[in-house]
Amino acid sequence: MTGYLAQPHGGPDGGSVRGYLLHRAKPHIPPWLGWAGTGLAGALGHWRWPDNAAAGVGLTLASVALTGATWLMGKSTTKQRRIHSAVTVAAGSAWVTAACLAGPTAGPIDDLYLMGGPVVALSWNVRMTLRHNPEGASGSSDGGLLEKVGLARAQIGQAKVEPNRVTAPLALEPGEQTNDDVSKALARIASALDLPKSAVRYSPDPDSERRGDLVIVPEDMLAAVVDWEGPSNLGGSIAEPLVIGRYDDGAPLQLWLPGDPETKRNSTHLLIAGGTGSGKGETALNLLSEILSRRDVIVWFSDPKAFQDFAPLRPGLDWGVEGGTDTEVMVEAVKAVIPARTRWLGAHGYRQWVPAAAETQNDPEHSCRPGGQTCGCPGMPFLVSWFEEAANTLRSLGDDAFTGIAQEARSAGISLVVSLQRPSYDQMSTSTRASLPSVIALGCDPRDEGFSLPESVLDAGAHPGAWGNRRPGYCYVVSPGIDEGRYPSPGRTLAFPARAVKTMELLATWAQRNGAHADPITADAASGVAGRAYAGRPAPDGTVQSAALRAVEEGDEMDHGGLLVDPEDAGIDPEAELPGSQEGDDAPIFGQDTGRKPSPEEARRLFADALAEFEAAGQMVVGPKDFMDWCDRHKLSRPWVSERLKEAAMAGRLEATNTTGRWRIVPALTAA
């Protein structure tokens, strides 16, 4: 028996029974030492200050001060421990005062010492036994959980219990623990509770480095697929929340695009990021269907995949293009409408877009006329400029293609939506990424989490890399207007079954008939850049359709080396004799059989006709490669075209784009 006890319970005293008993008794000795010390202090005090009035006053004041200090220092502990400590100090100091003045054996003083002292000491022994019993179980409110995960001495407050959600305030040990310690322990907490890591989150208190809320969601309510049945608020304002799914505790998953001056919410741009198979397409359908169901918004949409997922909603768009050159035109058009819209909003007294800006301006406070007269100007709807599969556009136009839009568009009542699989810094510029404050982060490679979500949200427990493509539609949403405590809470977007196609088609028809149309300011600015490529939302019967709604080839993939001349033409004299222009050559040039080099007047006329043909076809961004067929038809060379492009730019018929070697055609009426 002795060996059995010594083996598992051996301590620092050699592993014997005596050592074990001494080891177990050590935590209970301090209260008894305090009792013995109190008796000794009373005896010595009486020997030094018998019947001394001044000493009595001093001892009484010291007793009160020591008791008060104990109460104050116990503020960070539990209420029961604070009271127990204060009562113990008050009783002990009062006995010492009485013993010093009257003597430790006078009257009932010795009896109080012999009976009351052991009771107080035993009360602390009992308290310690309840807190650390022989089986090692903790008597604290967390059942020993925090001690197991390395957060011993942290205190859990009164928990708030909701359906499938428990929120418990957490106070850490002052000077010993910080909120970062909790973030690092989340995986261990999840392990102790036998839950996935995403089910445990921590929301730090912004005003404290040692306080926050521990959130536990025991059941994954997102496992059941919920189908989309239609928009949540048909005919509402775009300023009202857009519902795209639900959180893991059943609360609606929603976000806002416009700002709200009343609640100090900023307007925002949105990034939708997720790997292949993560449900990014259905997430986009959720959001786009919500946007098109609102009465005061128009959508410009670019999709290089030829609207494979969005075809039922396409008729409801104000402008839709399929990538390539037309997307270049749309980017330039968005840039052009920003100053036009901000000028109009400022003239009508709006510091930012609000729903009232979409109404006819009959309020004297929002009139562009002086003297308080109503102007009656048509309203300006909110504009969503959406670039789906934006990696294609960024490869074509450069990684900073959206930087100017992202930095300036919010004040113009424009939200930029960018969707791509991997928002890494080799895909888009750091300036553009920093200007996209909102994100819907779906499943991804664990190494890509930092590209989608802020570090603080990842530290709080968000983990989209755990899903990959195994849980389509699972996502985290970070956006103004959402409680920051919700940022690390996973949600799931709604699913779109085959039967949803009919509902989407009806929604697109509703948008054609009842949705907003582009205001004159936006339409004129867009037409000034895009020409016939922009014609606005088609009519419900489909008889009027934008020229941009056609299949187009991908844009020029050349690596242009110069601003005005194609690199393939570098070093070639544009004034050299053209093929077929040598004397005696019978090949016709420009429809003539003269064999001579065209005069400058003929060159300008022929090139102007070519630009007019591109403009009539709706192709408003061109480069030397776009003239290949035209050159073959007229037996002209690329160097000659490069020179004519330079002349047209200097004459104001072309304008440079963000992409070197690509030019935007200035519509003929505007250029004139």
Side-chain angles (χ1 to χ4, degrees):
M1 180 63 72
T2 301
Y4 173 78
L5 289 174
Q7 187 68 28
H9 298 294
D13 297 308
S16 65
V17 174
R18 175 177 170 276
Y20 166 72
L21 294 176
L22 181 60
H23 176 71
R24 299 296 298 177
K26 280 181 180 179
H28 301 278
I29 293 176
W32 296 96
L33 293 177
W35 172 58
T38 300
L40 180 60
L44 292 175
H46 180 67
W47 172 76
R48 183 70 177 82
W49 302 302
D51 300 321
N52 189 321
V57 174
L59 289 170
T60 302
L61 293 177
S63 175
V64 173
L66 184 59
T67 303
T70 303
W71 179 260
L72 291 176
M73 288 185 291
K75 184 178 181 179
S76 60
T77 65
T78 63
K79 183 178 180 181
Q80 295 84 354
R81 187 181 184 88
R82 188 181 189 189
I83 295 175
H84 195 181
S85 300
V87 169
T88 300
V89 172
S93 60
W95 187 90
V96 169
T97 300
C100 289
L101 298 178
T105 59
I109 294 178
D110 55 347
D111 295 328
L112 288 175
Y113 178 77
L114 294 174
M115 291 187 292
V119 170
V120 173
L122 284 171
S123 70
W124 282 100
N125 291 160
V126 170
R127 184 183 187 91
M128 188 172 297
T129 301
L130 293 176
R131 185 175 182 180
H132 300 287
N133 60 42
E135 288 74 27
S138 173
S140 60
S141 60
D142 57 78
L145 170 65
L146 297 182
E147 186 175 359
K148 291 178 182 177
V149 300
L151 296 174
R153 303 179 70 180
Q155 299 291 329
I156 288 185
Q158 184 65 38
K160 179 182 179 182
V161 180
E162 304 171 90
N164 199 41
R165 184 183 180 94
V166 178
T167 304
L170 190 63
L172 305 175
E173 180 70 12
E176 298 291 335
Q177 300 167 331
T178 67
N179 289 328
D180 288 341
D181 295 323
V182 183
S183 298
K184 295 175 182 178
L186 290 177
R188 294 193 297 272
I189 295 175
S191 173
L193 297 175
D194 195 18
L195 293 172
K197 182 180 177 181
S198 60
V200 181
R201 279 94 68 177
Y202 182 67
S203 299
D205 186 338
D207 298 326
S208 174
E209 191 56 38
R210 55 175 289 264
R211 296 183 185 274
D213 290 330
L214 185 65
V215 180
I216 301 172
V217 180
E219 180 184 355
D220 184 8
M221 296 181 64
L222 304 179
V225 177
V226 178
D227 291 338
W228 180 80
E229 300 294 343
S232 66
N233 188 10
L234 185 64
S237 172
I238 188 63
E240 297 170 11
L242 305 172
V243 182
I244 61 174
R246 60 174 181 162
Y247 284 106
D248 56 355
D249 61 354
L253 180 64
Q254 57 190 20
L255 55 85
W256 293 258
L257 294 180
D260 184 357
E262 297 295 329
T263 61
K264 307 301 181 183
R265 186 185 71 242
N266 291 325
S267 179
T268 191
H269 302 310
L270 178 65
L271 171 68
I272 303 176
T276 302
S278 64
K280 187 161 57 68
E282 287 196 337
T283 298
L285 283 173
N286 275 277
L287 183 59
L288 182 59
S289 63
E290 283 288 283
I291 293 172
L292 290 179
S293 70
R294 307 306 168 90
R295 66 178 184 273
D296 49 8
V297 61
I298 58 175
V299 180
W300 292 357
F301 198 99
S302 167
D303 184 8
K305 295 199 308 183
F307 288 79
Q308 181 179 8
D309 294 328
F310 305 96
L313 295 174
R314 187 171 185 175
L317 304 174
D318 186 69
W319 188 7
V321 298
E322 296 182 1
T325 301
D326 281 358
T327 297
E328 292 184 73
V329 176
M330 179 176 285
V331 170
E332 296 300 317
V334 175
K335 294 177 183 177
V337 303
I338 290 174
R341 288 173 64 92
T342 53
R343 191 179 304 114
W344 185 93
L345 289 169
H348 288 83
Y350 297 106
R351 297 186 61 186
Q352 67 180 75
W353 188 93
V354 293
E359 308 294 334
T360 302
Q361 302 303 296
N362 292 323
D363 186 347
E365 294 185 3
H366 296 117
S367 173
C368 58
R369 294 184 180 180
Q373 301 179 5
T374 57
C375 61
C377 292
M380 176 177 286
F382 194 75
L383 171 60
V384 175
S385 182
W386 189 313
F387 294 90
E388 185 69 17
E389 296 295 342
N392 292 350
T393 302
L394 291 168
R395 282 195 297 269
S396 176
L397 303 184
D399 64 353
D400 62 347
F402 304 131
T403 300
I405 298 174
Q407 293 176 345
E408 302 171 5
R410 290 193 301 167
S411 60
I414 302 175
S415 274
L416 173 67
V417 179
V418 177
S419 174
L420 73 170
Q421 292 185 11
R422 191 173 184 266
S424 57
Y425 299 115
D426 60 346
Q427 296 268 10
M428 64 170 60
S429 70
T430 55
S431 297
T432 299
R433 181 62 187 89
S435 299
L436 299 173
S438 298
V439 61
I440 301 177
L442 295 108
C444 63
D445 187 293
R447 295 169 294 182
D448 294 341
E449 291 181 340
F451 297 135
S452 300
L453 291 173
E455 183 178 355
S456 59
V457 179
L458 295 174
D459 290 342
H463 191 28
W467 300 327
N469 60 2
R470 297 180 299 278
R471 297 188 178 182
Y474 278 60
C475 63
Y476 297 99
V477 180
V478 175
S479 186
I482 300 176
D483 182 359
E484 293 186 8
R486 284 285 188 187
Y487 287 175
S489 299
R492 187 174 188 177
T493 57
L494 304 175
F496 279 73
R499 57 184 171 82
V501 172
K502 183 62 176 179
T503 306
M504 287 191 285
E505 292 174 344
L506 293 174
L507 174 59
T509 301
W510 179 92
Q512 289 177 306
R513 294 175 177 172
N514 304 292
H517 291 270
D519 58 282
I521 301 298
T522 302
D524 289 348
S527 298
V529 169
R532 297 181 182 179
Y534 173 73
R537 178 180 284 148
D541 58 9
T543 57
V544 179
Q545 195 171 34
S546 169
L549 299 182
R550 69 188 190 286
V552 297
E553 297 179 357
E554 288 296 319
D556 190 357
E557 297 294 338
M558 293 187 300
D559 181 15
H560 301 285
L563 182 62
L564 300 175
V565 180
D566 192 284
E568 294 182 14
D569 305 327
I572 301 177
D573 182 4
E575 299 300 325
E577 293 296 329
L578 301 175
S581 65
Q582 301 293 331
E583 185 176 354
D585 195 330
D586 296 331
I589 301 178
F590 304 106
Q592 303 173 9
D593 293 329
T594 60
R596 63 180 177 83
K597 185 177 180 179
S599 67
E601 292 77 11
E602 290 174 318
R604 282 192 290 271
R605 176 179 59 79
L606 288 168
F607 192 76
D609 291 343
L611 292 180
E613 291 179 15
F614 282 119
E615 182 179 351
Q619 183 172 342
M620 301 300 291
V621 176
V622 296
K625 190 173 184 178
D626 298 302
F627 286 84
M628 293 296 293
D629 293 340
W630 187 85
C631 287
D632 291 342
R633 189 164 65 249
H634 293 286
K635 293 184 171 53
L636 293 173
S637 69
R638 288 169 58 97
W640 184 88
V641 171
S642 295
E643 187 69 14
R644 300 293 82 75
L645 286 170
K646 177 179 178 180
E647 291 181 358
M650 298 176 68
R653 186 69 168 99
L654 298 177
E655 286 188 3
T657 67
N658 278 352
T659 306
T660 303
R662 300 293 289 172
W663 301 88
R664 177 174 64 82
I665 299 175
V666 178
L669 293 178
T670 304

